[in-house]
């Protein structure tokens, strides 16, 4: 069995084996002249993929830190077995939700053939199991929101549904294509 790599903990300076443990980092206050009426502290999350325990853990962490708003950049469903619960929780907890490619295929807005075998299997299962109100809510969402100072996209400014931003070259091209100077994307995990 391979030995776990030892890391220096940023909180205590000791060698720790809990490298996946989140260390709370206090957030500084933003100067009022930089926020221009926008919320000063926003939690941005994405790609829940029907994983309710993970979603609840992230929201609990967000609550412990305290933010002004929570924005979800899409893919509430897909893979995980609790899509209805994740969508209901997002409706309740998130101030903004976008739709992602996995959400779109579940409501028949994308072709299933465009997905990998595992993703297609998950999408078909989700289609067969989600409630009508989940489907109806997802249908109200958009894959982008450019109405704010921070432009929001499920995937990218060039293709808000599909494009993965996985290199600095792609990031540069997306920056050139987007309106404004700040953006947040999901999808690329």
């Amino acid at each position: 069995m391979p030995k776990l790599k030892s890391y220096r903990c940023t909180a205590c300076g000791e060698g720790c084996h809990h490298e996946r443990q989140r260390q709370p980092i206090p957030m500084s206050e933003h100067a009022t002249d930089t926020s221009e009426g926008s919320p000063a502290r926003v939690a941005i999350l994405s790609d829940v993929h029907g994983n309710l325990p993970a979603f609840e853990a992230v929201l609990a962490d967000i609550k412990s830190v305290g933010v002004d708003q929570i924005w979800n950049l899409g893919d509430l469903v897909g893979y995980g077995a609790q899509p209805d619960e994740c969508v209901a929780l997002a409706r309740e907890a998130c101030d903004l939700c976008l739709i992602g490619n996995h959400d779109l295929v579940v409501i028949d807005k994308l072709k299933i053939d465009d997905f990998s075998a595992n993703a297609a299997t998950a999408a078909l299962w989700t289609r067969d199991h989600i409630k009508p109100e989940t489907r109806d809510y997802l249908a109200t969402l958009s894959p982008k929101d450019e109405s704010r100072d921070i432009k929001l996209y499920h995937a990218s400014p060039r293709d808000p549904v599909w494009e993965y931003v996985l290199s600095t070259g792609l990031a540069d091209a997306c920056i050139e294509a987007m309106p404004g100077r700040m953006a947040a994307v999901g999808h690329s995990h």
Side-chain angles (χ1 to χ4, degrees), residues 32-98:
T32 55
D33 65 340
T34 64
S35 61
E36 299 178 21
S38 298
R41 295 164 56 120
V42 178
I44 300 175
L45 55 117
S46 185
D47 297 272
V48 171
H49 287 296
N51 186 339
L52 185 62
F55 192 21
E56 289 173 332
V58 168
L59 290 174
D61 191 51
I62 289 168
K63 184 177 180 181
S64 75
V65 172
V67 298
D68 298 316
Q69 290 196 354
I70 301 172
W71 298 344
N72 184 302
L73 303 185
D75 279 351
L76 285 166
V77 304
Y79 302 115
Q82 294 176 291
D84 290 319
E85 295 86 347
C86 288
V87 170
L89 184 55
R91 287 182 78 168
E92 175 186 318
C94 298
D95 299 287
L96 173 139
C97 284
L98 299 182

Side-chain angles (χ1 to χ4, degrees), residues 90-112:
R91 287 182 78 168
E92 175 186 318
C94 298
D95 299 287
L96 173 139
C97 284
L98 299 182
I99 195 166
N101 58 311
H102 287 265
D103 307 317
L104 286 161
V105 73
V106 163
I107 62 169
D108 297 311
K109 298 291 183 183
L110 290 178
K111 296 184 307 183
I112 197 85

Side-chain angles (χ1 to χ4, degrees), residues 59-170:
L59 290 174
D61 191 51
I62 289 168
K63 184 177 180 181
S64 75
V65 172
V67 298
D68 298 316
Q69 290 196 354
I70 301 172
W71 298 344
N72 184 302
L73 303 185
D75 279 351
L76 285 166
V77 304
Y79 302 115
Q82 294 176 291
D84 290 319
E85 295 86 347
C86 288
V87 170
L89 184 55
R91 287 182 78 168
E92 175 186 318
C94 298
D95 299 287
L96 173 139
C97 284
L98 299 182
I99 195 166
N101 58 311
H102 287 265
D103 307 317
L104 286 161
V105 73
V106 163
I107 62 169
D108 297 311
K109 298 291 183 183
L110 290 178
K111 296 184 307 183
I112 197 85
D113 298 344
D114 292 337
F115 286 77
S116 70
N118 288 339
T121 299
L124 292 171
W125 181 90
T126 303
R127 274 186 193 169
D128 291 343
H129 289 86
I130 62 171
K131 296 177 182 174
E133 55 267 24
T134 298
R135 185 182 312 276
D136 292 345
Y137 176 71
L138 291 174
T140 68
L141 304 177
S142 171
K144 68 180 181 178
D145 181 341
E146 294 179 330
S147 68
R148 305 161 192 280
D149 292 335
I150 300 174
K151 310 309 178 195
L152 306 171
Y153 307 93
H154 170 66
S156 83
R158 299 183 329 159
D159 181 347
V161 174
W162 282 112
E163 184 175 42
Y164 289 93
V165 183
L166 299 174
S167 70
T168 55
L170 279 173

